[in-house]
Amino acid sequence: MSTRTFAAIDVGSFELTMKIFEFSGKNNMREVDCVSRRLDLGSETYATGRISNEKMDELCRTLKEFAGIMESYRAEGYKAYGTSAIREMENLVIIRDQIAQRTGIRIEILSNSEQRFLDYKAVASVGESFRRIIEEKTAILDIGGGSIQLSLFDNDTLVSTQNLRLGVLRIQELLSHLSAKSSQIESLIEETAQAQLETYKKLYLKDREIKNLIVIDDYISPWAVRRNNGRAAIGAPDLDELREKLLCGNQSQAARSLGISEEKVPLVFISAVLVGRIARLMGAECIWAPGATLCDGIAYEYAEKIKMFRGEHDFEEDIVACALNISRRYMGSKKRAETLENITTTIFDSMKKIHGMGKRERLYLRLAAILHDCGKYISLVNIGETSYNIIMATEIIGLSHQEREIVANVVRFNHSKFFYYGQQGTGGPDRDSYLTVAKLTAILRLAGGLDRSHKQKLKGLKASLKDNQLIFTVDTQADITLEKGFFRTRGEFFREVFSVEPVLKQHKAI
């Protein structure tokens, strides 16, 4: 049985953490070591956009230490991710290069949506409890240093996800500028969060009932797991007790009592207040804090890629669910989107030998088909540009900024003139992204021509590749004169991109 060792590194806002994992056999992931070092990067970054030379030196010293530990375990691979504190640095490119030169560790930057997606995978790595819980009306509260993410699940499906700038370090930085008594802190935290939470409730929660609240954080989750001997469930009385202990006496006593570091005391308190406030807002019956961390999610994703782990929850469908919610918000046609998704994936699957794209690009195409007309909510004339702006301004959980831009450009050029490489100046996509956009746009344009009337006439459509022709056959008695016309004009760009001639054959059903 083959065994692999892997290191997951989280360069977080408040501390650096590395976990060493061992994979042996299918779905067997074991944590063998965990090392954490306190380093408050967030306070400086959120306030100034930079970190001091002293913090930079400490960061590099810690990462060199991590590199030595990885070597001692003979780790075959590693992933080091920076989150909001690194992401918000103004001189990010310079900082990343310095770190790589001084430590040998290359840090990749997670967008907010990528980070939250890995956090969900971290919870899923805990076991079957995740799927069982999200089959009911469940919310996930992911608390970070810079922001929080609120996601709603129902029947194992992601319903909505929103980011709010209410991270614990950001709130702590705000409180540090106020001359407030300790007795005022809790009410000040609630007041800081109130406006955003009330807006969130009005727009997204509405009258939705929430049974379970899953908490992902580095603050109250470790306490909850220790307190309950590994069990993840906590209740409102537990949170009340926690806040009381944190408020009574000095920080040293509170830290000893709760088994946490003294520096974390105010952050744990902020997190506890946020969890309590959001649980009341949602009317959650149960709070579940499994203690999963970003490192667990990094390891889970690595195991998926090397095909040594396969979870029961389909995370790709969560990404699709986000797109469906965006389309619904902007009054998109569900039937039209379903038709385009079916036609585009039929074309994609029949041309694998020609286009050279994979599973991820197929997902981009599905998302583009779903979001193809979201911009008409704003303008019926400039659908391409308004759709692009909507997609780029809306977070899609699980997609990086670059991936979201690919989807947005496919939708954009489906409606407007295609910009060839270099025409958009330095702000355009890189070469590989450009080619992906061109190929997916050609497919989406052709699919749009096959349903130009929006009447779903070609439901039995089949496609097969023969030599340099892509032959579409359909059995229908419907008049498809309009579709044939648009199929010819939309096929021009398709021929240019793939050097394949699209051919439409109609067999009229008797």
Side-chain angles (χ1 to χ4, degrees), residues 267-448:
L267 304 180
V268 174
F269 183 74
I270 293 170
S271 185
V273 173
L274 287 174
V275 171
R277 178 72 179 82
I278 292 167
R280 291 195 303 275
L281 180 81
M282 295 181 167
E285 298 174 16
C286 178
I287 300 169
W288 196 58
T293 67
L294 179 61
C295 287
D296 299 303
I298 296 171
Y300 185 103
E301 184 171 77
Y302 174 79
E304 282 183 316
K305 286 181 179 177
I306 63 173
K307 303 189 185 308
M308 294 188 77
F309 207 101
R310 183 187 176 97
E312 293 184 355
H313 182 72
D314 190 342
F315 286 98
E316 183 174 296
E317 288 307 311
D318 288 338
I319 301 175
V320 173
C322 278
L324 289 168
N325 286 323
I326 296 168
S327 177
R328 193 178 302 118
R329 189 185 314 158
Y330 292 101
M331 308 293 286
S333 169
K334 184 179 178 181
K335 283 187 177 180
R336 167 74 167 166
E338 287 175 350
T339 300
L340 282 184
E341 188 180 353
N342 180 56
I343 297 174
T344 54
T345 52
T346 297
I347 297 172
F348 186 97
D349 294 341
S350 67
M351 293 182 60
K352 288 179 180 178
K353 293 180 181 179
I354 299 292
H355 58 56
M357 294 182 287
K359 184 179 178 182
R360 195 66 177 178
E361 288 79 12
R362 190 179 190 272
L363 173 63
Y364 304 155
L365 185 59
R366 291 181 66 194
L367 300 176
I370 292 167
L371 297 170
H372 74 281
D373 65 346
C374 60
K376 72 180 182 181
Y377 184 85
I378 297 171
S379 171
L380 291 172
V381 177
N382 299 312
I383 298 178
E385 292 302 318
T386 52
S387 296
Y388 175 89
N389 290 331
I390 285 172
I391 295 168
M392 291 307 297
T394 309
E395 193 169 69
I396 301 177
I397 196 77
L399 292 190
S400 67
H401 179 87
Q402 183 182 27
E403 290 179 312
R404 195 162 79 242
E405 191 165 26
I406 288 172
V407 174
N409 272 316
V410 173
V411 174
R412 176 190 190 186
F413 295 130
N414 180 54
H415 296 280
S416 58
K417 181 181 177 181
F418 188 83
F419 285 108
Y420 290 91
Y421 194 65
Q423 284 185 303
Q424 291 177 286
T426 56
D430 60 43
R431 181 182 176 277
D432 290 341
S433 296
Y434 160 77
L435 289 172
T436 300
V437 169
K439 292 174 183 179
L440 298 183
T441 299
I443 294 173
L444 184 59
R445 281 187 179 183
L446 190 63

Side-chain angles (χ1 to χ4, degrees), residues 135-385:
E135 284 177 350
E136 300 177 311
K137 298 183 186 302
T138 299
I140 293 183
L141 168 59
D142 189 352
I143 303 176
S147 65
I148 67 173
Q149 191 87 11
L150 283 167
S151 304
L152 304 179
F153 284 83
D154 195 3
N155 294 323
D156 198 22
T157 302
L158 182 65
V159 176
S160 73
T161 183
Q162 288 297 316
N163 186 253
L164 289 75
R165 292 173 77 84
L166 293 172
V168 291
L169 282 174
R170 206 179 292 276
I171 292 176
Q172 185 188 42
E173 175 66 19
L174 173 65
L175 294 173
S176 69
H177 296 294
L178 304 176
S179 300
K181 299 175 183 177
S182 58
S183 58
Q184 296 176 293
I185 298 298
E186 183 168 357
S187 61
L188 285 171
I189 295 170
E190 294 225 8
E191 283 184 37
T192 301
Q194 183 175 348
Q196 290 190 57
L197 290 176
E198 288 298 329
T199 301
Y200 171 81
K201 180 180 181 180
K202 185 186 298 183
L203 293 177
Y204 302 102
L205 192 60
K206 299 179 181 176
D207 297 324
R208 184 181 298 276
E209 294 179 1
I210 299 298
K211 184 174 181 180
N212 303 304
L213 178 64
I214 299 176
V215 178
I216 305 171
D217 76 338
D218 293 323
Y219 309 105
I220 71 164
S221 292
W223 161 81
V225 171
R226 281 195 305 272
R227 182 183 186 279
N228 295 328
N229 296 319
R231 290 185 296 107
I234 57 175
D238 299 318
L239 283 176
D240 292 339
E241 180 187 331
L242 174 62
R243 290 198 299 272
E244 192 174 316
K245 283 185 177 179
L246 292 168
L247 279 175
C248 294
N250 59 38
Q251 286 194 183
S252 299
Q253 290 174 333
R256 285 195 299 272
S257 171
L258 297 169
I260 60 176
S261 64
E262 191 173 329
E263 297 90 348
K264 264 195 172 182
V265 169
L267 304 180
V268 174
F269 183 74
I270 293 170
S271 185
V273 173
L274 287 174
V275 171
R277 178 72 179 82
I278 292 167
R280 291 195 303 275
L281 180 81
M282 295 181 167
E285 298 174 16
C286 178
I287 300 169
W288 196 58
T293 67
L294 179 61
C295 287
D296 299 303
I298 296 171
Y300 185 103
E301 184 171 77
Y302 174 79
E304 282 183 316
K305 286 181 179 177
I306 63 173
K307 303 189 185 308
M308 294 188 77
F309 207 101
R310 183 187 176 97
E312 293 184 355
H313 182 72
D314 190 342
F315 286 98
E316 183 174 296
E317 288 307 311
D318 288 338
I319 301 175
V320 173
C322 278
L324 289 168
N325 286 323
I326 296 168
S327 177
R328 193 178 302 118
R329 189 185 314 158
Y330 292 101
M331 308 293 286
S333 169
K334 184 179 178 181
K335 283 187 177 180
R336 167 74 167 166
E338 287 175 350
T339 300
L340 282 184
E341 188 180 353
N342 180 56
I343 297 174
T344 54
T345 52
T346 297
I347 297 172
F348 186 97
D349 294 341
S350 67
M351 293 182 60
K352 288 179 180 178
K353 293 180 181 179
I354 299 292
H355 58 56
M357 294 182 287
K359 184 179 178 182
R360 195 66 177 178
E361 288 79 12
R362 190 179 190 272
L363 173 63
Y364 304 155
L365 185 59
R366 291 181 66 194
L367 300 176
I370 292 167
L371 297 170
H372 74 281
D373 65 346
C374 60
K376 72 180 182 181
Y377 184 85
I378 297 171
S379 171
L380 291 172
V381 177
N382 299 312
I383 298 178
E385 292 302 318

